[in-house]
Amino acid sequence: MEKEKQQKKNWNEQLYNIIRDVLSRWHIICLTGVITAILADLFLTLTYVPMYRTGTSVVLNMGAGYISDADTDKEVAEALGYVLTSNLFMDKIKEDLNVSNLNGRFAVRDIEGTSILEIYSEADSPQISYRMMYAMMERYQEVTSLVIGNAKMDVIDKIQVPVKPYNELNHWKNMLAAGVVGAAFMTAVFILMSFMRDTIKEKKDIKEKLQVRLLADVANEPKIMLKGGRLYRKKSLLVTQITTSFAFVETFQRLRARFEAQAQKKKYKIVVINSTTENEGKTSVIVNLAIALARQGRRVLVMDADLGKPSIAKIMDLKPVHTLETVLKGEKEMEEIIFHHERTGLDLIFAGGREDDTTGLLENGILGGWLEENRDNYDYILIDTPPASFMGDSMIVAAEADAVLLVVRQDFAPTVLINRTIERYLQQDTPVMGCVLNRSMPLVGEKKKAYRYRGGEHRGTE
C-alpha cells in the first residue's frame, strides 16, 4: 500500500512538472500556433483552385419488373457512379466539350429510402461544369446499358450554371484549424522535452543525483490571489506577509531548525545562499530563512553581493541609499551602509547593480577582510550572490564563506549543471551544507491558513 501511494505521488509530481513546464512556455505555443495559421493560410491561398459544382436530382426508371428497395437502389447508384467516373465515359465527355484536358469529375449519391439519385459534375470552371452535366445526360445510356440496362433518368431539378465555387476559401476557419494543430504539436514537443529532460523532479533526486543533504522542500506558493472578486499579484513571498500560507511559513521554520543544527555542528557562521541558474528563488529563500532565524533571537546580517542584478532591496520593498559598491571602492565604511530593518530585526547590506567590473571589486580583499573581522558580531551572515553557472563572482564570495546552501528549483536547471556547480565549490574547499528544493508540487488537499505578523509572532486565522 505504501509503495502504491509513493508511485502515485511520483506520477502526480511528474504530471505537475510537465503541466507547469508547458504553461511556462505558453507564449511559444501561442506564437507557434499563430505562425502555423498564417503559413497554412498562405499555402492554401497560393494553391487554391476554385471548383464549381452543377447538381441535379433524377429518378432512375429501370423499367417493368424492377423491384425497388434500399439495397438494390444503393447498388444501382454505385454502379452508375462507377460508370460516370470511368475513363471511357470521361473521354466521351471530352469529345463533346472539344477539350483535350478536363479538370473535372462526376459524383453520384442515392437518397436513402427513395429511387432518387443526386448527380454532380465538378470542374474548375462554372461553364465547363454546366456543360459536363448536359453532356452526361446525353451520353449516359451509351455506357450504362452494359451495367444497368436500358434505364432512363428523369430529371427532377432544373440544371443551372453555378455562380460560385463550392470549395470557397474560409480564411478564418483554415487559420483556426491550422493554429490549433500547430499549438497542439508544439505542446506535444514540450511535453516530450519535459519528460525526457534530466532535472531534479522530486525529493529523492536530491540524494540520488546530487548526493547532498535536503534541508527543506518549499512548495510552490501562488503569487496570484483572489480578493473581493478581483485578482491581485503579491509583491513578494515573505513569511511576514498576511497573504502567505501556513504551509509556506512552516516550511521555513523547519528549514531554520535544520540549518541551525547543521551550522552549529560544523561551526558555520558565514553562509552563501546561491543557485545554479537564474529564477530559482534563492533571494526569497535567503530573506525568509533570515527572518525565521531573527524571530528566534538570532542576530542576522543579510548581504546582497549580487552586484550585477541585486534583488534583496526589491523583495523587501526598500530603496537603499548606500550600497556595497561604495564600500568596495573605499568610499564608505561597511558600518555606514548597514540598514537595520525594525520589523524583521535584520541587518541588511544592499547592492546597487550599476557596476561593470564586479569581479574586480569582489577580489580586492575588502569584503573578505571585513567578513573575517566581523564574523563574531553576528550569529549568522547570509550572503546572496549571482547564479553560479553565469559568472565567477559567486565563487569569489563563497571562498570567503564557511559554506554554501544551494537552492534548486524543481524541474528547472539541468542536473549536470547543478553537479558542476557543486564540484566547483568543493574544488575550492567550500563545503555545500545542503540544498533547498524550491517551488515543488504543493500537497493536494492541505488546509492552508493566512498568517499575520504582529510583535514578532505569526498568528493564524482560518
Side-chain angles (χ1 to χ4, degrees), residues 61-80:
N61 186 355
M62 302 295 292
Y66 175 75
I67 300 176
S68 177
D69 59 57
D71 293 336
T72 305
D73 291 341
K74 186 174 182 179
E75 290 177 2
V76 171
E78 291 176 353
L80 182 60

Side-chain angles (χ1 to χ4, degrees), residues 227-281:
K227 183 179 179 182
R230 297 179 62 183
L231 291 176
Y232 291 88
R233 184 177 180 85
K234 301 175 185 178
K235 287 185 177 181
S236 56
L237 297 178
L238 297 178
V239 294
T240 55
Q241 295 290 337
I242 189 175
T243 54
T244 303
S245 70
F246 172 75
F248 190 78
V249 176
E250 284 299 300
T251 295
F252 279 95
Q253 294 289 1
R254 291 193 295 269
L255 173 60
R256 189 270 312 163
R258 294 172 182 173
F259 173 87
E260 283 207 277
Q262 186 82 345
Q264 292 173 6
K265 180 180 178 181
K266 301 289 186 179
K267 301 187 183 304
Y268 298 151
K269 300 194 70 173
I270 304 174
V271 179
V272 164
I273 298 181
N274 195 15
S275 62
T276 301
T277 62
E278 286 187 303
N279 301 318
E280 295 198 62

